[in-house]
Amino acid sequence: MRLRFSRRSPGADVLIELRPAGFDPYAELQRYQTETLGHAGKYGATCSFVGTMRDFNENETVRRMFLDHYPGMTERQLERIAEEAKTRWRFLDALVIHRVGEILPDQPIVLVAVWSSHRGAAFDACRYIMEELKSRAPFWKKETLALGERWVEKNTGGY
Amino acid sequence: MRLRFSRRSPGADVLIELRPAGFDPYAELQRYQTETLGHAGKYGATCSFVGTMRDFNENETVRRMFLDHYPGMTERQLERIAEEAKTRWRFLDALVIHRVGEILPDQPIVLVAVWSSHRGAAFDACRYIMEELKSRAPFWKKETLALGERWVEKNTGGY
Amino acid sequence: MSIRVRYFGSLREKMGRVDDILAAEDIDTVSDVWKAVSEGEYLPDRILCAVNMDYADPDAPVKDGDEVAFFPPVTGG
Amino acid sequence: MSIRVRYFGSLREKMGRVDDILAAEDIDTVSDVWKAVSEGEYLPDRILCAVNMDYADPDAPVKDGDEVAFFPPVTGG
């Protein structure tokens, strides 16, 4: 699912994608910047965040994970979050990629990147999108442990 | 100049490099993560920042730039900044790459990346290193305009 | 009237089903929907609600054709 | 005594040289170094100072063999 909103709000483009298969966040950044981003020479700052699956959580070894989501609502909420960020900070473009389905340790779960003229906006908007995503985007993690499975109960705050 | 401090302070490694030639920050991140970083499955968060040369500054078109530095002191100050970050936040590894010499618009100037277990530390430490670098690391930019040259007078704050 | 009720995450497993179609006439709010699908229980504080894919309060109104969803706190990212 | 004095950025162009070697005996502080290389001027507020590659105040002591540097505000990143 690829959701691109093209300059609907003043200034910024945002691409939001849900991915059922693994992705390389740095190859994505490179490709997006080269092929999609229309601002060569205009952006001075890019802040990106990559969330990666760890092989442990709350003192237990985690073998793999299933990421449930709510098709339609997940994309809509990510879009809302990006729109809010656009009203709060001046940036040129943003990219959000989030995995769904089966994930293995060391695989990327989420990439958020923001391109802007000045670094403050890039850092602030990237972090805002990440934090809001963590608290509002409808995703649910189920971990497979050495013995049995468990749903992750709650995300912790990131500030 | 490649400066790696290996677990001198508890926990974190840091690699600092000055580069006389262009570099691709996302290829560097990918390579560093694959070849150097010894924490597969342990880091859940990576925050990175890339500063890119713009083709304008203070209402003037900038054709190219020369980045002067103070060999020895520049590396030492970057090392100090990274050490301070290590005492303030818990992270696993950090990478700082900074260009020196002739730079063209759209080329990367600086990459700062921080790997940690939790996202708050990655964001905070990455931004701290960038801000301190901007105010304390001995680099000086001289811009070539359509007519003539000028030294950049001062960096602006990023918060 | 007809309301589709969907469940996600651990709540889906607790409910033992992915959705319900409600046809009852005496449903005005999200809370009423929950009571109808849970044999009269009150909506637990920690369960989040959405109407037509937007977050909604328990006392938000629902109408014929709406899609109502219930799910635990989100854990993406 | 012998002190190497280095200049960077725009200050290097203003000084018209990359460094000086000071041999004077009556130099105790960074300010004294500046006066010696600038024909008695006071150190401008905006010029930063380093002794042996660490930032230093104008009244920081200098000794034989030190490397002292003067430069404008930094503009990297």
Side-chain angles (χ1 to χ4, degrees):
Chain A
M1 196 280 167
R2 220 173 132 88
L3 180 70
R4 178 158 185 95
F5 19 131
S6 283
R7 302 178 195 281
R8 284 207 309 231
S9 303
D13 277 7
V14 177
L15 175 64
I16 290 168
E17 284 193 59
L18 300 184
R19 293 283 182 93
F23 69 99
D24 178 330
Y26 302 117
E28 298 284 345
L29 277 166
Q30 208 170 30
R31 180 160 54 233
Y32 189 70
Q33 197 166 273
T34 310
E35 294 176 10
T36 309
L37 208 68
H39 305 286
K42 302 307 167 203
Y43 58 87
T46 312
C47 180
S48 62
F49 179 85
V50 177
T52 305
M53 188 184 158
R54 295 178 304 167
D55 60 12
F56 66 96
N57 191 25
E58 293 178 12
N59 300 317
E60 295 246 31
T61 296
V62 181
R63 300 234 164 127
R64 62 180 186 278
M65 193 164 83
F66 174 74
L67 241 174
D68 193 13
H69 78 294
Y70 183 171
M73 180 167 176
T74 304
E75 295 89 332
R76 178 186 293 207
Q77 297 306 315
L78 290 172
E79 186 180 335
R80 291 267 155 83
I81 291 165
E83 290 286 348
E84 288 168 16
K86 285 203 266 181
T87 66
R88 295 181 59 166
W89 294 281
R90 187 181 288 270
F91 60 85
L92 296 162
D93 212 306
L95 174 62
V96 177
I97 301 178
H98 203 293
R99 274 296 305 278
V100 293
E102 294 287 344
I103 306 183
L104 296 174
D106 211 33
Q107 287 188 338
I109 301 168
V110 60
L111 164 67
V112 174
V114 174
W115 286 262
S116 62
S117 294
H118 298 287
R119 69 191 185 282
F123 272 113
D124 283 335
C126 182
R127 193 164 190 173
Y128 177 84
I129 293 170
M130 252 327 282
E131 291 306 311
E132 295 299 307
L133 181 158
K134 280 273 191 181
S135 66
R136 292 161 52 190
F139 293 104
W140 300 273
K141 285 176 183 160
K142 187 180 199 174
E143 297 173 335
T144 299
L145 310 175
L147 291 172
E149 297 182 323
R150 68 177 175 199
W151 288 93
V152 177
E153 296 270 318
K154 201 177 181 317
N155 275 337
T156 50
Y159 282 99
Chain B
M1 194 282 167
R2 218 173 135 87
L3 180 70
R4 179 158 185 95
F5 17 134
S6 283
R7 300 177 196 284
R8 284 206 308 229
S9 304
D13 276 7
V14 177
L15 175 64
I16 290 168
E17 284 193 61
L18 299 184
R19 291 283 183 91
F23 69 99
D24 178 329
Y26 302 117
E28 297 284 345
L29 276 166
Q30 207 169 32
R31 181 162 54 236
Y32 190 70
Q33 196 166 273
T34 310
E35 294 175 9
T36 309
L37 207 69
H39 305 286
K42 303 307 169 205
Y43 58 86
T46 312
C47 180
S48 60
F49 179 86
V50 177
T52 306
M53 188 185 158
R54 294 178 304 166
D55 59 12
F56 67 98
N57 191 24
E58 292 178 11
N59 300 316
E60 294 247 32
T61 297
V62 182
R63 300 235 166 126
R64 62 180 187 277
M65 194 165 81
F66 175 74
L67 243 172
D68 193 13
H69 77 294
Y70 183 172
M73 180 166 175
T74 303
E75 295 90 331
R76 180 187 291 207
Q77 296 306 316
L78 290 173
E79 186 179 334
R80 291 268 155 83
I81 292 165
E83 291 285 349
E84 289 168 15
K86 287 203 266 181
T87 65
R88 294 182 58 166
W89 293 283
R90 185 181 289 271
F91 61 84
L92 295 161
D93 211 306
L95 173 63
V96 178
I97 300 178
H98 203 294
R99 275 294 306 277
V100 294
E102 294 286 345
I103 306 185
L104 296 173
D106 210 34
Q107 287 189 338
I109 302 168
V110 59
L111 164 68
V112 174
V114 174
W115 287 262
S116 62
S117 294
H118 298 287
R119 69 190 185 282
F123 273 112
D124 284 334
C126 182
R127 192 163 190 173
Y128 177 85
I129 292 170
M130 253 326 284
E131 290 307 310
E132 295 298 308
L133 182 158
K134 280 272 188 180
S135 66
R136 292 161 51 190
F139 293 103
W140 300 273
K141 287 176 182 159
K142 186 181 200 174
E143 297 173 336
T144 300
L145 310 175
L147 291 172
E149 297 182 323
R150 69 178 174 198
W151 289 94
V152 178
E153 295 270 316
K154 201 176 181 315
N155 275 337
T156 49
Y159 282 101
Chain C
M1 79 184 211
S2 170
I3 291 169
R4 184 179 180 199
V5 192
R6 303 180 68 178
Y7 313 106
F8 292 93
S10 57
L11 184 65
R12 176 177 289 182
E13 293 183 355
K14 278 185 199 122
M15 301 299 281
R17 55 197 191 269
V18 300
D19 62 1
D20 284 303
I21 305 293
L22 271 189
E25 289 306 309
D26 56 343
I27 287 173
D28 297 318
T29 67
V30 170
S31 285
D32 295 340
V33 172
W34 178 259
K35 278 182 193 157
V37 299
S38 69
E39 299 173 354
E41 276 183 32
Y42 285 102
L43 183 62
D45 275 350
R46 65 185 294 278
I47 294 298
L48 303 173
C49 323
V51 176
N52 299 328
M53 301 189 179
D54 271 316
Y55 283 101
D57 289 328
D59 57 0
V62 296
K63 59 183 193 311
D64 187 36
D66 280 351
E67 175 170 303
V68 176
F70 296 103
F71 45 79
V74 305
T75 55
Chain D
M1 78 186 215
S2 171
I3 291 170
R4 184 179 180 199
V5 191
R6 304 179 68 179
Y7 314 106
F8 292 93
S10 57
L11 184 65
R12 176 177 290 182
E13 292 182 357
K14 278 184 199 121
M15 301 299 282
R17 55 198 192 267
V18 302
D19 62 2
D20 284 304
I21 305 293
L22 273 189
E25 290 305 313
D26 56 345
I27 287 173
D28 297 316
T29 68
V30 170
S31 285
D32 295 339
V33 172
W34 178 259
K35 278 182 194 157
V37 298
S38 67
E39 298 173 357
E41 277 183 32
Y42 285 102
L43 183 63
D45 275 350
R46 64 185 295 279
I47 294 297
L48 303 173
C49 322
V51 176
N52 299 327
M53 300 190 180
D54 271 314
Y55 283 100
D57 289 328
D59 57 1
V62 295
K63 59 181 195 312
D64 187 37
D66 280 351
E67 174 170 305
V68 176
F70 297 103
F71 45 79
V74 304
T75 55

